[in-house]
Amino acid sequence: MIKLRAAPLITAILILALVVVSLIFILPLEDEASNEADKPTLAELLPAAEAGDADAQYRIGRMYFYGKGIPENYVEAVRWYRLAADQGNARAQSSLGHAYFLGKGVTQDYSEAARFYKLSAEQGDAVAQASLGIGYFHGLGVERDYGEAVRWFRLASEQGTDLGHSYLGRVYETGLGVPQNYSKAHMWYNLAVAGGYQSDAASRDRVASKMTRTQVAEAQQMAAECKARDYKGC
C-alpha cells in the first residue's frame, strides 16, 4: 500500500525536477544569442538604467542573476528585472517569471511565474512562450491544459526555440493535447537534438523503435523540410 501511494509522488517529483533542470540550464542558453553581440559592463549600463532605460535595466538584472562579470546576486537581479518589466520589457518579464519559478531572489511562486511568462509570451518572447507551455503542460501556476500547452509550444517552436521542439516531440509521443503521432514526435525530437538537446536523442530513438524503417526515413525527411520552412506549418 505504501509503495503504491508513494509511486505517483515520486514520479511527480522527478517530473518537476526535470522541468526545473530545463529552466535552469536550457532557458539561459535559449536566450543567450540575443546578448552575444553586445556585452557592455555594469559601469557602462548603469547611467542609462538609472535614467529609466528598460533594456539597460534588464541587462543589469541578467548580469546579477547569472554572475556575468559581477558577483551573482538574485535579489538585486530581481530588482532590476522588475524595473524593466514594469515598463513592459518582454525579456525582463520572462526573466522575472524565471526567478519566481525557481524561487531565486523572491519566494517561489508558480502563479506569479506564469503571470509574468504570459505577459512576455503575449508580446512574442519565444522563451516565455515555451515556459508558459511548460506551466500548462504540468499544471504549474495555471490549470493543466494540454491544448493550451501545445499552442504555446508551437508558437515558441516557430521561432526556432529548441525547448518548444522538445516538448512538441513529447506531446506527439504521448498524445497529450494532440493525436498521438510517432512520425511527428520523431521529427520534433530530431529537430531538438539538431539544436543541441542531446538528451532528446534517447527520446527520438525510443520513438523510432516503435516505427518501421520507412516511417523513420519519412520522419527524417519531414524534419529537414520543417527546418527549411523555418519551423512554420509543421
Side-chain angles (χ1 to χ4, degrees), residues 66-83:
Y66 295 107
K68 298 283 186 177
I70 55 177
E72 199 174 79
N73 186 325
Y74 296 129
V75 172
E76 193 66 6
V78 166
R79 184 174 77 84
W80 286 106
Y81 280 157
R82 198 179 300 280
L83 288 170

Side-chain angles (χ1 to χ4, degrees), residues 30 160-162 165 188-198 227 231:
E30 293 276 11
T161 304
D162 295 315
H165 301 341
W188 286 116
Y189 282 140
N190 219 7
L191 290 168
V193 172
Y197 278 31
Q198 295 305 314
K227 186 176 182 179
Y231 313 107

Side-chain angles (χ1 to χ4, degrees), residues 23 27-28 30-32 34-35 55 58 62 88-98 116-133 151-161 163-164:
L23 290 171
L27 292 185
E30 293 276 11
D31 195 39
E32 190 67 34
S34 63
N35 295 272
D55 185 64
Y58 158 73
R62 183 180 175 80
N89 185 285
R91 290 188 296 176
Q93 290 167 343
S94 179
S95 296
L96 197 51
H98 188 45
F116 281 106
Y117 283 147
K118 189 171 185 180
L119 287 171
S120 179
E122 288 176 341
Q123 293 194 65
D125 186 272
V127 173
Q129 289 170 344
S131 302
L132 185 58
R151 183 171 79 86
W152 288 110
F153 290 147
R154 201 175 296 282
L155 287 170
S157 180
E158 287 177 352
Q159 296 193 63
T161 304
L163 186 57

Side-chain angles (χ1 to χ4, degrees), residues 21-43:
V21 167
S22 295
L23 290 171
I24 291 174
F25 295 107
I26 296 173
L27 292 185
L29 297 177
E30 293 276 11
D31 195 39
E32 190 67 34
S34 63
N35 295 272
E36 281 299 318
D38 180 22
K39 288 188 174 181
T41 65
L42 176 63

Side-chain angles (χ1 to χ4, degrees), residues 9 11 17-18 27 33 48 60 108-109 135-136 148 153 165 178 209 216:
L9 177 59
T11 300
L18 182 61
L27 292 185
I60 290 176
Q108 188 175 53
D109 188 327
Y136 278 112
E148 192 69 0
F153 290 147
H165 301 341
V178 294
S209 69
V216 170

